[in-house]
């Protein structure tokens, strides 16, 4: 394990911050007979009249078992987008620090950097959509705090090489965030298993994709206990609402159903990949380790609007670096995918 002093990376105002404390944190209702008159809630029971558990204990216990990682190494957020924002606010000094991203990639890293007034150094992926390890390491300066790696990557759908990621985490001087939003569709192992080796690693996951719960907004952050403690200090106390906690717990208690859905999507992905190859204006179908497929067409703007006219909305990625004339298709239901194929065939 490398030498890593977390406090040198935490913003000084965060380091000195005294977090908001709710009385509910201090007094647990052990007997079930405590009277809570501390939070100005409405006393009449309706299922949601009380504030939710700010530490989402039950949910974390379940996730800890499922992911084989200590509860103290988990932080939950209102989607992974909130978690990514917390990471910026914990480690990056506005108008001073810098982050590194590897376009083409998920758009939120740049949005959050702009929102938090943090400079971005972009080091494009190579032609195989893999990170340029040396170029990334050379792009660091004294102000570089974070490196964002998305694997499987959105929108390219591939996973990054294990060796490249290992080198990057080992040699990068700041914190490496691996966004694993699509990990449950991937043949690769999660980096959560490697947290004990890398004190500068943060892994984010979400219930929005494979778990089919984009509507409840639940993001998951895994890191060292120290990093999680810093993020806990700055998170809004009740950032994961009661309905989300309940709904997530319900879904996490049915792992077979989740796997079944994932298997269906993977099967459909296979079917789509084969069908797309046969469309004559599709010039290249990129392999996918996620629940979407990137294709290169003759003219993305034209094809995009033709599909809209047929009532199918896909994602036009033509303006992203290395993605000229590329469209991104989410794998839908069998019926939706067949609609897409039929529509594409009609355009030929
Ligand atoms: C969809 C997606 C997310 C999910 O964000 P949530 O806020 O958890 O819904 C995160 N990262 C990437 C790369 C994504 O594509």
């Amino acid at each position: 394990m490398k030498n890593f002093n977390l406090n040198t990376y935490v913003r000084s105002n965060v380091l000195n911050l005294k977090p908001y404390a709710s009385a509910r944190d201090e007094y647990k209702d052990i007997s079930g007979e405590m009277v809570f008159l501390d939070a100005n809630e409405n006393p009449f029971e309706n299922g949601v009249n009380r504030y939710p558990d700010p530490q989402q204990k039950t949910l974390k216990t379940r996730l800890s078992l499922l992911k084989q990682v200590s509860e103290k190494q988990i932080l939950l957020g209102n989607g992974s987008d909130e978690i990514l924002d917390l990471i910026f606010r914990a480690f990056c000094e506005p108008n001073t620090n810098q982050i590194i991203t590897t376009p083409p990639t998920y758009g939120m890293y740049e949005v959050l950097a702009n929102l938090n007034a943090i400079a971005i150094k972009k080091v494009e992926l190579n032609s195989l959509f893999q990170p340029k390890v040396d170029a990334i390491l050379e792009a660091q300066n004294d102000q570089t705090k974070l490196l964002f790696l998305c694997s499987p990557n959105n929108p390219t759908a591939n996973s990054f090489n294990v060796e490249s990621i290992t080198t990057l985490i080992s040699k990068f001087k700041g914190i490496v965030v691996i966004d694993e939003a699509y990990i449950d569709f991937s043949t690769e192992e999660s980096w959560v298993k490697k947290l004990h080796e890398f004190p500068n690693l943060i892994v984010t996951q979400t219930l929005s994709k494979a778990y089919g719960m984009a509507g409840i907004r639940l993001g998951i952050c895994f890191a060292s206990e120290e990093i999680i403690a810093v993020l806990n200090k700055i998170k809004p106390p009740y950032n994961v609402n009661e309905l989300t906690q309940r709904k997530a717990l319900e879904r996490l208690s049915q792992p077979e159903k989740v796997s079944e859905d994932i298997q269906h999507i993977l099967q459909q992905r296979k079917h789509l990949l084969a069908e797309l190859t046969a469309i004559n204006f599709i010039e290249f179908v990129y392999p996918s380790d996620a629940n979407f497929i990137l294709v290169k067409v003759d003219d993305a703007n034209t094809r995009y609007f033709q599909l809209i006219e047929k009532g199918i909305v896909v994602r036009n990625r033509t303006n992203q670096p290395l993605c000229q004339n590329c469209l991104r298709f989410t794998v839908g239901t069998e019926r939706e995918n067949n609609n897409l194929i039929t529509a594409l065939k009609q355009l030929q």
Side-chain angles (χ1 to χ4, degrees), residues 37 153 168 200 213 298 300:
L37 302 176
N153 186 42
L168 284 170
N200 62 330
M213 309 200 92
D298 52 352

Side-chain angles (χ1 to χ4, degrees), residues 20 30 141:
Y20 177 82
I30 300 159
N141 64 26

